[in-house]
Amino acid sequence: MPSLPPDGPGIIRDETGAQTLLGYVVDIREADGVSRCWLDIGAQHGNRHGGLHGGIMSAMLDNAMGFAAARTGDDNGDTKVATLTMTTNYLAPARGGLVVATGEVSGGGRSTIFTEGRLEDANGTVLATSTGVYKRVRNASGQ
């Protein structure tokens, strides 16, 4: 059974309050520019129907795509970006276990970056897809 990636270079844990609260792990180990967010689903992540809450699915996709966009400035993902738009399509429920959101850049220019994302379960079932547009900013507040 798959598990969360172990600590090491390119693994980011508890960087933000939202990440700590939700419990996902950011993975930018690969040099391919693709970013991943891993989550081991617990009862605290559920909706009233017993599946992974759609807001958490969307948050994971936003982070995976945002890190992919941030990696266009440097491979460490230190370039600051802000989400301009994001569209998520929910395709199947996640009932438990490990899920991974994958984000990659599909286009853009110097200041605007276009991304695509997908959320899959441990069996490779696509649970949700997403597209996003991100803007490079000078600091985290967008100023």
Side-chain angles (χ1 to χ4, degrees), residues 19-97:
Q19 183 182 13
T20 302
L21 180 67
L22 295 176
Y24 62 85
V25 176
V26 175
D27 179 356
I28 57 171
R29 292 178 293 182
E30 302 298 324
D32 57 5
V34 175
S35 298
R36 293 168 181 83
C37 289
W38 300 84
L39 177 69
D40 193 1
I41 300 171
Q44 71 274 24
H45 301 116
N47 60 25
R48 64 187 188 147
H49 306 293
L52 179 60
H53 192 282
I56 295 173
M57 293 172 132
S58 185
M60 290 184 62
L61 286 161
D62 187 26
N63 276 276
M65 293 186 304
F67 263 96
R71 293 179 76 185
T72 62
D74 64 67
D75 205 40
N76 294 325
D78 291 331
T79 301
K80 303 293 185 211
V81 298
T83 310
L84 294 178
T85 65
M86 184 177 157
T87 301
T88 301
N89 303 296
Y90 301 97
L91 306 172
R95 300 269 182 225

Side-chain angles (χ1 to χ4, degrees), residues 1 5-6 27 32 54-55 70 82 110 120 135 142:
M1 174 174 209
D27 179 356
D32 57 5
R110 257 189 335 186
E120 298 174 280
K135 180 175 179 58

Side-chain angles (χ1 to χ4, degrees), residues 69-139:
R71 293 179 76 185
T72 62
D74 64 67
D75 205 40
N76 294 325
D78 291 331
T79 301
K80 303 293 185 211
V81 298
T83 310
L84 294 178
T85 65
M86 184 177 157
T87 301
T88 301
N89 303 296
Y90 301 97
L91 306 172
R95 300 269 182 225
L98 192 67
V99 293
V100 60
T102 303
E104 54 192 308
V105 172
S106 59
R110 257 189 335 186
S111 64
T112 305
I113 303 134
F114 299 93
T115 62
E116 295 178 351
R118 69 186 174 283
L119 181 72
E120 298 174 280
D121 67 13
N123 297 319
T125 301
V126 178
L127 308 170
T129 60
S130 192
T131 57
V133 180
Y134 296 80
K135 180 175 179 58
R136 285 194 186 94
V137 294
R138 292 179 192 244
N139 62 40

